[in-house]
Amino acid sequence: MSSESTGLQEGCGYAMAKTGPFRRDEHIKSPKEISRLFKQGNRVGIWGAKLFYKENGLSRNRIAFTLPRGYGRAVDRNRSKRCSREAYRFYKAHLNTGYDLLLLVYPGNDSFHSRCGQLKTLCRKAGLMKD
């Protein structure tokens, strides 16, 4: 039976069900809130990415994706953010809720599978994965 017929996709080492859209209320857009996460949030890092996180008192997670200055061309920046959003979409069902997250991604390894691995490792280091 193919993964398309079951509604599952192979992602990052095991099959995960599609989680639906990345809703507007899951985004952090405000520069003030993004700055607060950089300054007051806890952080964990691995080669190629850092995750800033802080409790938000809500019943859902909110997330922002950022890149360092001088990342590259617009095409590269957009692809990197797209891979990050997809990786988060696949893992959001496996994360504890009630956190604001900010994923800072550095150039290189802009494939979906490498981004999934980075996000999974960062969330485990931060203690955000459900048991």
Side-chain angles (χ1 to χ4, degrees):
M1 185 181 286
S2 74
S3 62
E4 286 182 26
S5 65
T6 62
L8 298 176
Q9 285 191 348
E10 286 294 324
C12 311
Y14 57 92
M16 293 184 279
K18 291 185 179 183
T19 58
F22 184 46
R23 297 184 322 263
R24 183 177 298 264
D25 64 347
E26 294 179 87
H27 294 249
I28 299 175
K29 293 273 188 179
S30 163
K32 186 177 177 181
E33 290 179 335
I34 291 172
S35 179
R36 179 183 59 88
L37 268 173
F38 271 122
K39 291 177 183 172
Q40 299 174 1
N42 299 317
R43 71 186 72 171
V44 292
I46 59 170
W47 184 84
K50 284 185 185 175
L51 179 69
F52 296 81
Y53 62 99
K54 184 172 175 65
E55 288 191 46
N56 64 14
L58 302 172
S59 61
R60 66 185 180 282
N61 288 335
R62 300 184 311 161
I63 191 165
F65 303 99
T66 60
L67 306 168
R69 288 192 175 127
Y71 188 87
R73 300 174 305 164
V75 172
D76 301 328
R77 292 190 299 270
N78 292 337
R79 177 175 169 73
S80 180
K81 286 184 179 183
R82 197 166 50 247
C83 286
S84 298
R85 281 193 300 269
E86 280 299 305
Y88 173 72
R89 245 178 28 106
F90 280 107
Y91 277 113
K92 71 181 180 180
H94 302 286
L95 299 176
N96 294 321
T97 57
Y99 290 92
D100 282 346
L101 309 169
L102 187 140
L103 183 64
L104 173 63
V105 179
Y106 296 101
N109 290 335
D110 284 336
S111 71
F112 173 69
H113 290 289
S114 67
R115 191 58 42 83
C116 276
Q118 288 174 334
L119 185 61
K120 185 177 181 180
T121 302
L122 288 168
C123 288
R124 280 199 174 139
K125 281 179 83 170
L128 300 176
M129 296 292 273
K130 290 180 182 175
D131 293 329

